[in-house]
Amino acid sequence: MLHKKPIEDGSFFGGSHYEEHGPTDTKDLSMNETVVEIRRYSGEIERHQHDYPQVILPVSGTLEIDLGHRSGRVSGDIGAFVSAGCQHAFYAKRTDSFVVLDLPSRPTMRELDEDIPAFFPISGEVHGLIDYMAALAASQEPSALHRNAWSTLLLDRIAPPRDRPDRTELAVRRATAFMERKLADPIRIADIAEAAGTSPTRLHEAFIRVCATTPHAHLVAIRLDAAERMLADPRLSIADIAIFSGHSDQSALTRAMRRERNSTPAEVRRNLLRKTEGKA
């Protein structure tokens, strides 16, 4: 199992300091105000989740992060958005640093899941905001007014403009975002429907119309996609991957993959590692 290591150090601004825990003992952390940190990590693989959304921006170096439904890197011109409740694994060298924005736990924050992609390009304006906060952090503790103004400017620039979807599409987006956040947890269709703001019957109809599939089949596919991405990492055992991708155990993952993908986790891992070795 992967275990969370404490943050090595960092400049902390806003709110009282809190400890972060591993996946087996995660506290239900809620943020009541905007927090900005310059963070450095342990140099080991870490895994946790928190009950508030988070934006991660590069100052120096690279952060590798797996969000379950997506994986990628925070570095250079790429930032990451972590939804509230999303269990995620990450790794960075101890010398690398990042601006991390923890956002308040409020119902209105749910719309961020629909507006901000998991990995987003960093524009010149956003680089300017990162440089400003890094310089400010080096000289003084930003006030609440500074933090709130800075976060408002940042969110406005990383959320791409788009037309609002109709209610059916919005229900599917919210349902999918909930599935991705709760990937490793037991999920009932009733829970998904509640998160989407609709009834189970209407949720089923929405998925048939928008995705030509059912909510359950969509959840199965999301979990198997996540498992396949994690299988590319030889440091993770198949038993751990089964749990992290929402399956009860390794046998359940094997049955689901054989039924849906006509393969097994071991076969998928061998093929992925063979491709990786071929590129080396």
Side-chain angles (χ1 to χ4, degrees), residues 24-208:
T24 57
D25 59 351
T26 301
K27 289 184 177 180
D28 183 19
L29 300 173
S30 296
M31 302 299 299
N32 296 315
E33 60 178 294
T34 299
V35 171
V36 181
E37 281 186 334
I38 307 299
R39 292 188 186 170
R40 297 179 179 86
Y41 296 98
S42 67
E44 299 183 31
I45 297 174
E46 308 178 27
R47 178 177 290 272
H48 69 183
Q49 66 185 78
H50 35 70
D51 195 32
Y52 49 85
Q54 185 179 76
V55 177
I56 308 171
L57 301 164
V59 176
S60 64
T62 299
L63 177 77
E64 298 182 37
I65 183 166
D66 187 338
L67 303 173
H69 61 291
R70 289 285 304 278
S71 59
R73 294 181 174 183
V74 176
S75 179
D77 293 327
I78 299 295
F81 176 77
V82 182
S83 301
C86 172
Q87 187 173 109
H88 50 289
F90 51 96
Y91 166 83
K93 294 179 180 178
R94 296 168 67 93
T95 54
D96 297 345
S97 61
F98 309 87
V99 175
V100 180
L101 172 64
D102 296 333
L103 295 161
S105 301
R106 296 171 185 164
T108 54
M109 289 297 173
R110 183 174 67 175
E111 295 184 2
L112 291 176
D113 293 337
E114 301 151 19
D115 292 335
I116 303 177
F119 297 94
F120 54 85
I122 297 176
S123 65
E125 287 184 320
V126 173
H127 273 299
L129 289 170
I130 296 171
D131 292 343
Y132 170 81
M133 182 53 66
L136 186 64
S139 61
Q140 67 182 77
E141 179 177 328
S143 65
L145 181 63
H146 272 115
R147 297 193 306 269
N148 291 330
W150 183 86
S151 63
T152 298
L153 289 170
L154 176 72
L155 294 175
D156 182 62
R157 281 154 180 77
I158 65 178
R162 60 173 176 80
D163 296 331
R164 299 299 296 177
D166 64 25
R167 289 185 178 181
T168 301
E169 293 178 347
L170 187 57
V172 169
R173 289 188 186 186
R174 286 177 172 169
T176 299
F178 178 81
M179 293 178 194
E180 292 172 343
R181 287 198 307 271
K182 302 295 184 180
L183 185 74
D185 301 333
I187 302 177
R188 301 178 305 165
I189 296 300
D191 298 329
I192 300 172
E194 181 180 0
T198 188
S199 69
T201 300
R202 290 189 176 180
L203 181 69
H204 182 90
E205 294 171 350
F207 268 88
I208 293 296

